[in-house]
Amino acid sequence: MNVRRQQRVAEEIQRRASQFIREELKDPRLGFLTITGVDVNSDLTHATLFVSVLGNETEQEQTMQTLRRAKGLIKRDLGDWLRIRTVPELTFKQDESIERGTRILQLMKGLEREAPG
C-alpha cells in the first residue's frame, strides 16, 4: 500500500468525521471533543480515531460511549464521502495528550510562582 495514499485517507477521515460529528450528530450526551489524529492500517480496513474530550471523567466516558454507539452512522457517512471500495472499521481511542500537556503547564506555572525571584 502506498504510504502517501494511507496518509491522505487518514487525513480525509479525520476531516470528514470531525465535520460529521460537529454538524450532524445531535446527541446531548456528546461533549466537546476534537479528533486529534487518525491511524489507518496499510490495507485501509481499520482506522483508529484519537479523540480528545474536555470535561470530567464522567463526561469523557459518556462522550466516548456515545461515539462508539454512533460508529455505524459515522462509517456510513465516511463511505458516502470517501468513495473507496472498503470503508475502514472505526475504533475510537481517547487521546489524553492535550489534557496531560495542560496539566504540565499548570504545574510549571505553579513552580514559577513559588520560585524566589
Side-chain angles (χ1 to χ4, degrees), residues 19-60:
Q19 182 180 359
F20 181 77
I21 291 167
R22 182 178 60 249
E23 297 174 3
E24 306 289 328
L25 282 182
K26 305 293 185 201
D27 195 319
R29 296 169 293 184
L30 206 56
F32 184 76
L33 65 95
T34 303
I35 297 178
T36 57
V38 176
D39 283 342
V40 180
N41 66 350
S42 60
D43 62 357
L44 304 179
T45 58
H46 189 81
T48 302
L49 287 77
F50 295 94
V51 182
S52 176
V53 183
L54 290 182
N56 61 36
E57 251 183 71
T58 305
E59 293 168 336
Q60 290 176 1

